[in-house]
């Protein structure tokens, strides 16, 4: 199959946009070239180019196209319009099923012709998060000025131009020329095929594979660090970003002046990462090392000492700025900053950060009583939790919210639990973060998130579709993890009601507040699905269940899952579904079939056995649920498996005698009602 190579060479593409651009290029090419059956599609991304290779058929096969026109008997003008549109006479039309139909043969089309026809439009509508215009004479946009287009089919140029009658398209035309590394190998090179393109660019110090650049960066940095008995602080996101900034990565280590080593390690790491894209290093004991790593995009003519010294000089200035904030912030205690929160708007409908802090203090005190944490420490930590928003360090590095508050609290000699809670109340920020276990930290973290969810839902800012500008889904997952991993027994509805009581009066009865328990339930199912757990079991025990104690719900769901994994559980599920289906069908005829069955009407031993077992199992299940012995409840329910199987094997539910049929349907109704105490088995998948 012929090989197609597309390369779009431009000025530097932002690193964060490269991967998506490569995926978009493949998607657009695959769709546009679908008649050529593209296979083996691969994308390549880098700072100055995105490219793709595909294999495809050499021809678009010929075909007969049938287009239906007006109905027979339609006004003559309708038929004239149809023929004029297609440039044909009425004589070539045929009548098929009451409609005029035009059938025309479309000749086979060479792949190069089809490619040349679709590429200009594909490139003009290429989706970038942000685009720019440049030069004169064209409205075409690109993420940065587009300089060259390589388009080769089996080594031959596929000729097309971006120009139109009214637009010069920046004079861009398909060619077989690209460029190597901007500094190490500038200049134009000819391209013959995909393999030669990769090899020649590599010889000209361009790695076209993002994965190769990432591997080179990781391996090189780790080797330099290991040579000095150090390790690189893991930062996959930074590796990805740097791989999008350099075409030929060359790693180096630099020295940090000892006068800056008393700065908090988080400050040093964030300053290096955000400002300079540097990597932090640590000693074998985990402490911050007086070294940093960076990646250059050139091979220095010396041993790199000039490059290293230049980067050290830049970092020295950055750390001097950080030290200024560090020293200045500690001159004012966190307690003295509380008043300043009244000057920071939290949300137009929800007041200031000061208003929010007061709500958090109240809620933290309530949650402390419910969880057994120190109320005094919880309220103090909540009071000071947002004060670092007024500091210079957090103003410069918002990523350090909470972290800096903890450092400043320890400097102010606040209680250790209070300082720790301020540091940890934003965690977990994501699925990979550890969950705080210190009681005060847990309470303040919950107060923060419960207030956030309640306040924004009341203000009409609930997430919609993929939009979640205030991170409310992340806040809900944080609540779930804090509760689950600390085994807290909280009634979510009660907590949301208590949180809403502190909102501005007009928002306390907002209709969206009623959606909060379901919002948490949906996030819980999402988390279980991500963990590979059976979220359908949670859905099954949640139907008609107003319980919002997450720990209890998960215990019930786990007990149900355990039962369904046994042979008895699987058979009981099947039999229960059969009973529910029979009842649903018969209820439509003359139901509902409610009430207690009459034992005197039983004619077969299997009816009596099932009834007797139900008489024993139902109270046992209710008692086990009341005591939260969910495994015992499931075992009791599983004991119904055998009598229920025997019942269906022998007993005819729809007996010809009306009274007997009614009695048997009542027996099944009681069975289904009892099983609904456990779960709605219609929610179970499979």
């Amino acid at each position: 199959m012929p090989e197609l190579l597309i390369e779009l060479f431009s000025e530097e593409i932002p690193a964060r946009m490269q991967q998506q651009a490569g995926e978009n290029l493949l998607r657009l090419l695959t769709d546009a070239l679908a008649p050529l059956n593209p296979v083996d599609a691969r994308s390549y991304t880098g700072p100055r180019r995105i490219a793709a290779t595909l294999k495809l058929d050499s021809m678009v096969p010929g075909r007969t196209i049938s287009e239906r026109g007006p109905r027979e008997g339609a006004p003559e003008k309708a038929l004239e319009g149809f023929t004029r549109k297609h440039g044909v006479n009425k004589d070539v039309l045929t009548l098929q099923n009451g409609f005029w139909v035009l059938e025309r043969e479309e000749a086979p089309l060479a792949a190069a012709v089809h490619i040349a026809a679709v590429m200009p439009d594909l490139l003009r509508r290429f989706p970038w998060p942000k685009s720019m215009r440049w030069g004169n004479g064209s409205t075409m946009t690109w993420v940065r000025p587009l300089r060259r287009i390589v388009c080769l089919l089996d080594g031959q140029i596929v000729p097309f131009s971006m120009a139109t009658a009214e637009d010069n398209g920046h004079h861009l035309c398909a060619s077989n020329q690209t460029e190597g590394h901007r500094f190490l190998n500038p200049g134009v090179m000819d391209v013959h095929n995909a393999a030669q393109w990769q090899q020649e660019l590599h010889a000209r110090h361009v790695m076209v594979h993002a994965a190769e650049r990432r591997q080179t960066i990781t391996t090189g940095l780790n080797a330099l660090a290991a040579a000095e008995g150090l390790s690189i602080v893991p930062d996959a996101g930074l590796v990805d970003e740097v791989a999008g900034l350099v075409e030929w990565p060359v790693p180096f280590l630099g020295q940090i002046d000892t006068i800056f080593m008393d700065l908090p390690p988080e400050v040093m790491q964030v300053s290096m990462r955000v400002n300079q894209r540097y990597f932090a290093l640590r000693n074998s004991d985990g402490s911050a090392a007086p070294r940093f790593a960076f990646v250059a995009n050139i091979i220095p003519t010396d041993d790199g000492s000039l490059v290293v010294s230049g980067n050290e000089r830049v970092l020295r200035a950055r750390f001097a700025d950080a030290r200024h904030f560090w020293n200045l912030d500690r001159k004012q205690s966190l307690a003295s900053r509380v008043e300043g929160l009244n000057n920071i708007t939290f949300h137009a409908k929800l007041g200031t950060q000061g208003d929010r802090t007061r709500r958090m203090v109240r809620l933290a005190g309530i949650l402390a009583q419910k969880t057994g944490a120190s109320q005094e420490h919880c309220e103090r930590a909540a009071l000071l939790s947002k004060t670092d928003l007024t500091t210079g360090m957090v103003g410069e590095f918002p990523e350090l919210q909470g972290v800096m508050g903890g450092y400043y609290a320890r400097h102010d000699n606040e209680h250790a639990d209070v300082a720790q809670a301020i540091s940890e109340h934003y965690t977990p920020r994501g699925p990979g973060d550890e969950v705080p276990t210190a009681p005060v930290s847990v309470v303040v973290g919950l107060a923060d998130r419960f207030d956030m969810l309640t306040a924004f839902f009341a203000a009409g800012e609930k997430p919609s579709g993929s939009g979640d500008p205030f991170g409310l889904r992340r806040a809900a997952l944080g609540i779930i993890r804090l509760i689950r991993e600390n085994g807290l027994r909280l009634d979510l509805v009660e907590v949301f009601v208590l949180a809403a009581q502190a909102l501005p009066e007009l928002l306390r009865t907002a209709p969206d507040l009623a959606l909060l328990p379901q919002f948490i339930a949906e996030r819980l199912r999402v988390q279980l699905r991500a963990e590979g757990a059976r979220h359908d079991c949670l859905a099954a025990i949640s139907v008609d269940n107003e319980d919002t104690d997450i720990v209890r719900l998960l215990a019930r769901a786990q007990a149900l899952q355990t039962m369904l994994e046994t042979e008895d559980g699987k058979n009981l599920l099947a039999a229960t579904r059969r009973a529910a289906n029979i009842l649903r069908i018969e209820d439509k005829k003359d139901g509902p079939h409610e009430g207690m069955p009459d034992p005197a009407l039983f004619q077969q031993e299997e009816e009596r056995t099932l009834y007797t077992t139900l008489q024993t199992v139902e109270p046992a299940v209710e008692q086990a649920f009341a005591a939260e012995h969910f495994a015992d409840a499931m075992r009791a329910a599983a004991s119904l498996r055998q009598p229920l199987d025997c019942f269906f094997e022998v007993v005819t539910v729809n007996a010809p005698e009306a009274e007997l049929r009614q009695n048997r349907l009542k027996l099944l109704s009681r069975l289904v009602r009892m099983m609904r105490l456990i779960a709605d088995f219609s929610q179970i998948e499979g």
Side-chain angles (χ1 to χ4, degrees):
M1 297 177 75
E3 174 190 71
L4 175 66
L5 168 64
I6 302 286
E7 186 205 62
L8 306 167
F9 179 84
S10 69
E11 300 298 329
E12 275 71 10
I13 305 168
R16 66 184 183 280
M17 299 183 187
Q18 293 171 18
Q19 180 178 348
Q20 186 61 53
E23 294 171 1
N24 287 339
L25 181 60
L26 279 190
R27 174 178 56 81
L28 292 173
L29 285 172
T30 302
D31 291 345
L33 304 179
L36 294 167
N37 302 311
V39 296
D40 197 19
R42 302 178 185 180
S43 66
Y44 310 84
T45 60
R48 295 203 295 162
R49 72 198 78 221
I50 60 172
T53 58
L54 309 90
K55 291 185 177 179
L56 28 76
D57 294 342
S58 59
M59 300 284 291
V60 177
R63 56 177 179 166
T64 300
I65 297 178
S66 181
E67 296 193 40
R68 193 170 72 174
R71 187 183 297 274
E72 182 184 12
E76 191 66 25
K77 287 187 176 180
L79 190 58
E80 289 176 2
F82 179 71
T83 56
R84 185 169 57 251
K85 173 185 174 182
H86 293 284
V88 298
N89 296 320
K90 180 181 176 181
D91 299 341
V92 301
L93 304 182
T94 59
L95 275 173
Q96 296 181 16
N97 299 321
F99 288 87
W100 290 104
V101 176
L102 171 65
E103 291 186 345
R104 52 192 175 88
E105 296 295 323
E106 192 171 87
L109 190 67
V113 176
H114 180 73
I115 294 167
V118 301
M119 284 304 298
D121 177 65
L122 184 152
L123 296 181
R124 282 186 175 273
R125 60 187 174 87
F126 194 89
W128 291 101
K130 289 185 178 181
S131 299
M132 64 176 288
R133 293 184 180 181
W134 70 97
N136 297 314
S138 178
T139 60
M140 179 183 173
T141 62
W142 202 251
V143 62
R144 295 291 184 271
L146 185 61
R147 299 306 189 196
R148 297 181 183 277
I149 301 172
V150 171
C151 186
L152 298 180
L153 182 65
D154 259 5
Q156 300 300 310
I157 298 174
V158 178
F160 65 85
S161 169
M162 297 304 300
T164 64
E166 302 83 17
D167 188 313
N168 65 27
H170 300 296
H171 306 289
L172 289 166
C173 297
S175 74
N176 66 339
Q177 292 186 326
T178 187
E179 298 180 26
H181 194 284
R182 183 186 291 276
F183 307 113
L184 299 177
N185 283 100
V188 176
M189 60 170 264
D190 290 340
V191 181
H192 305 298
N193 54 58
Q196 175 264 343
W197 169 75
Q198 291 187 52
Q199 294 167 3
E200 183 77 11
L201 280 177
H202 199 277
R204 291 171 177 259
H205 297 95
V206 175
M207 298 180 185
V208 296
H209 285 282
E212 182 184 6
R213 297 194 302 274
R214 285 194 295 268
Q215 184 61 46
T216 300
I217 291 168
T218 302
T219 302
L221 292 178
N222 287 336
L224 290 175
E228 298 192 15
L230 307 174
S231 61
I232 301 289
V233 175
D235 194 335
L238 183 56
V239 171
D240 289 342
E241 184 175 6
V242 173
L245 296 173
V246 297
E247 291 186 307
W248 192 260
V250 182
F252 291 99
L253 290 187
Q255 186 76 34
I256 298 174
D257 290 353
T258 56
I259 60 172
F260 296 118
M261 292 308 296
D262 62 336
L263 286 171
E266 295 91 345
V267 170
M268 299 168 66
Q269 183 176 350
V270 169
S271 178
M272 287 190 288
R273 187 191 201 283
V274 172
N275 290 322
Q276 301 302 135
R277 309 303 188 266
Y278 294 163
F279 295 83
L281 283 82
R282 57 190 175 198
N283 298 308
S284 57
D285 62 359
S287 61
R291 301 284 268 161
F292 70 96
F294 66 95
V295 178
N297 192 34
I298 60 171
I299 302 174
T301 54
D302 57 8
D303 60 356
S305 58
L306 188 61
V307 171
V308 171
S309 63
N311 281 273
E312 289 175 344
R313 184 170 59 255
V314 171
L315 186 60
R316 198 174 299 121
R318 294 297 189 183
F319 280 174
D321 292 341
R323 175 173 292 287
H324 167 73
F325 292 126
W326 173 242
N327 292 335
L328 187 64
D329 289 343
R330 290 183 297 168
K331 292 180 179 180
Q332 185 178 350
S333 69
L334 290 184
S336 68
R337 294 178 180 274
V338 173
E339 188 65 27
L341 294 174
N342 295 320
N343 300 321
I344 302 176
T345 299
F346 174 58
H347 186 277
K349 295 181 180 179
L350 300 169
T352 66
Q353 286 286 358
D355 296 324
R356 181 167 190 239
T357 295
R358 287 184 282 276
R359 294 197 302 267
M360 283 181 59
V361 170
R362 170 183 170 274
L363 191 55
I366 295 171
L367 292 172
Q369 295 173 11
K370 293 181 175 295
T371 60
S374 166
Q375 183 174 348
E376 177 187 359
H377 293 160
C378 289
E379 291 177 346
R380 181 68 174 175
L383 177 68
L384 303 178
S385 61
K386 304 301 178 184
T387 53
D388 63 358
L389 297 176
T390 68
T391 64
M393 189 72 81
V394 172
E396 182 74 8
F397 302 115
E399 302 89 340
L400 295 176
Q401 292 177 42
V403 172
M404 296 315 302
Y407 278 109
Y408 296 145
R410 282 185 280 274
H411 177 266
D412 295 344
N413 293 318
E414 295 287 348
H415 192 281
D417 290 349
V418 172
Q420 183 180 6
I422 296 172
S423 295
E424 296 180 340
H425 81 282
Y426 286 107
T427 56
R429 298 174 189 263
D433 289 352
E434 292 186 6
V435 172
T437 57
V440 179
S441 301
V442 172
V443 165
V444 178
L446 287 173
D448 180 33
R449 291 168 175 82
F450 272 115
D451 175 75
M452 180 184 295
L453 285 175
T454 307
F456 280 117
F457 267 66
E461 299 282 10
K462 67 179 184 294
S464 58
S466 61
D468 187 12
F470 300 106
L472 301 185
R473 293 188 179 99
R474 184 172 64 247
L477 288 172
I479 288 175
I480 291 167
R481 290 192 64 193
L482 285 166
I483 290 175
R484 285 183 68 186
E485 298 182 34
N486 287 284
L488 301 181
R489 307 303 302 274
L490 293 174
D491 183 334
L492 296 185
V493 170
E494 179 188 11
V495 177
F496 281 127
V497 169
L498 290 168
Q501 291 172 356
L503 293 173
E505 188 171 354
L506 291 176
L507 300 180
R508 293 174 192 170
T509 57
D512 284 352
L513 288 173
L515 303 176
L516 282 165
Q518 182 60 30
F519 182 69
I520 295 288
E522 290 171 359
R523 293 302 97 198
L524 182 56
R525 284 194 283 273
V526 168
Q527 188 179 53
L528 292 178
R529 188 180 295 113
E531 295 172 357
R534 291 195 55 169
H535 55 90
D536 58 336
C537 290
L538 178 64
I541 62 103
S542 298
V543 174
D544 297 330
N545 183 1
E546 297 182 355
D547 188 5
T548 56
D549 182 327
I550 289 177
V551 172
R552 184 161 52 229
L553 286 172
L554 291 176
R556 281 187 61 178
Q558 182 58 51
L560 176 61
Q561 177 177 337
T562 300
M563 181 187 77
L564 293 177
E565 289 171 352
T566 66
E567 197 63 31
D568 282 350
K570 293 175 184 176
N571 290 333
L572 178 63
L573 171 63
T576 301
R577 284 175 168 172
R578 181 178 179 184
N581 288 336
I582 292 172
L583 200 61
R584 183 174 60 256
I585 294 169
E586 300 307 314
D587 277 351
K588 290 179 180 178
K589 297 177 181 177
D590 57 355
H593 299 89
E594 297 177 347
M596 292 291 292
D598 184 357
L601 295 177
F602 293 148
Q603 291 188 354
Q604 295 175 259
E605 187 61 33
E606 288 77 11
E607 294 176 275
R608 299 185 186 91
T609 302
L610 178 58
Y611 175 77
T612 303
T613 307
L614 270 174
Q615 291 285 81
T616 304
V617 169
E618 189 168 6
V621 168
E622 291 176 345
Q623 291 171 12
F625 275 146
E628 298 189 14
H629 296 159
F630 302 117
D632 293 344
M634 300 304 167
R635 279 192 291 271
S639 67
L640 283 166
R641 175 260 174 112
Q642 185 174 0
L644 191 54
D645 285 350
C646 294
F647 175 86
F648 281 124
E649 287 176 6
V650 176
V651 177
T652 301
V653 176
N654 286 319
E657 301 85 356
E659 188 177 41
L660 187 57
R661 170 180 171 274
Q662 289 280 343
N663 201 55
R664 289 172 177 173
L665 288 172
K666 286 181 179 180
L667 179 60
L668 290 187
S669 177
R670 184 173 177 193
L671 167 74
V672 170
R673 188 172 63 252
M674 193 281 293
M675 294 302 290
R676 284 294 293 267
L677 292 175
I678 297 173
D680 180 356
F681 286 91
S682 67
Q683 300 291 322
I684 301 298
E685 298 177 357

